[in-house]
Amino acid sequence: METKIRNRFILGGLVLLFMVYNIFLYTKPISASPVQYLSDNALKGETLWQENNCIACHQFYGLGGYLGPDLTNIISNPKKGADYAKAFFNSGIKSMPKFNFSEKEKKLLASFLKEVDQTGFYPNRDVEFENSGWVTIKYK
Ligand code: HEC
């Protein structure tokens, strides 16, 4: 009999704790300003990126459409960079549509690509072929 009463107290305590915790959790005001990871310009660039559906043909970190190349590191690529990228935006080269971005919009897109670039490398490794036939993997 004694243990039954004790168990009820424990159960009651747990239910009470659960209730208090839930009240605390669900009545806490949500932070009004969520963390902003991109600069204002890059955010506007991202909007252009989304409105024009660039991801239908391009990828970030290998994810996206596969008609055009991956653009994760196009800005930091020593053979490419911002001016190189900008030259493509309105070019209508191959199957890429001929867009009609203003200079300002090109800049915004480039700053979006730049800030995406700063998040990491894709692919994050290089392979080196040795004379022996082995490959060494070098992580960035
Ligand atoms: C219908 C498919 C398609 C869409 C949509 C598209 N692209 Fe492209 N894009 C391509 C293709 C294909 C190439 C490769 C052209 C070449 O190498 O000659 C390319 C090349 C590029 C390049 C040069 C990449 C490199 O490494 O040489 C950039 C930068 C680029 N696109 C940006 C964009 C942006 C920004 C958008 C959206 C505003 C966009 N593309 C939308 C198909 C597309």
Side-chain angles (χ1 to χ4, degrees):
M1 241 2 205
E2 281 246 315
T3 53
K4 217 170 172 185
I5 293 172
R6 202 191 66 200
N7 285 351
R8 286 208 176 136
F9 264 106
I10 291 172
L11 188 66
L14 286 173
V15 168
L16 200 70
L17 207 68
F18 177 75
M19 281 162 57
V20 170
Y21 177 65
N22 273 278
I23 289 167
F24 169 75
L25 202 66
Y26 291 105
T27 55
K28 211 169 58 167
I30 296 166
S31 150
S33 58
V35 187
Q36 185 180 326
Y37 292 100
L38 297 175
S39 69
D40 287 345
N41 275 353
L43 266 182
K44 287 181 195 147
E46 183 184 32
T47 305
L48 289 170
W49 173 267
Q50 288 169 343
E51 285 172 354
N52 292 285
N53 210 10
C54 312
I55 203 77
C57 299
H58 293 283
Q59 312 97 57
F60 287 137
Y61 292 99
L63 297 174
Y66 295 97
L67 216 53
D70 189 292
L71 299 181
T72 316
N73 298 126
I74 185 167
I75 303 296
S76 64
N77 184 331
K79 290 188 202 130
K80 296 183 177 175
D83 289 334
Y84 172 94
K86 279 196 217 159
F88 277 85
F89 297 161
N90 292 342
S91 68
I93 192 168
K94 288 192 192 161
S95 49
M96 179 154 157
K98 190 164 169 40
F99 293 103
N100 197 12
F101 293 117
S102 65
E103 279 308 312
K104 173 117 212 284
E105 288 171 324
K106 285 199 227 170
K107 244 172 101 178
L108 298 175
L109 268 171
S111 67
F112 172 59
L113 290 178
K114 181 173 168 216
E115 291 185 25
V116 168
D117 194 330
Q118 287 164 350
T119 61
F121 297 106
Y122 180 82
N124 69 346
R125 53 187 179 260
D126 265 337
V127 288
E128 218 164 65
F129 294 93
E130 292 172 11
N131 295 334
S132 59
W134 288 93
V135 291
T136 6
I137 296 178
K138 285 187 167 169
Y139 288 93
K140 293 183 188 170

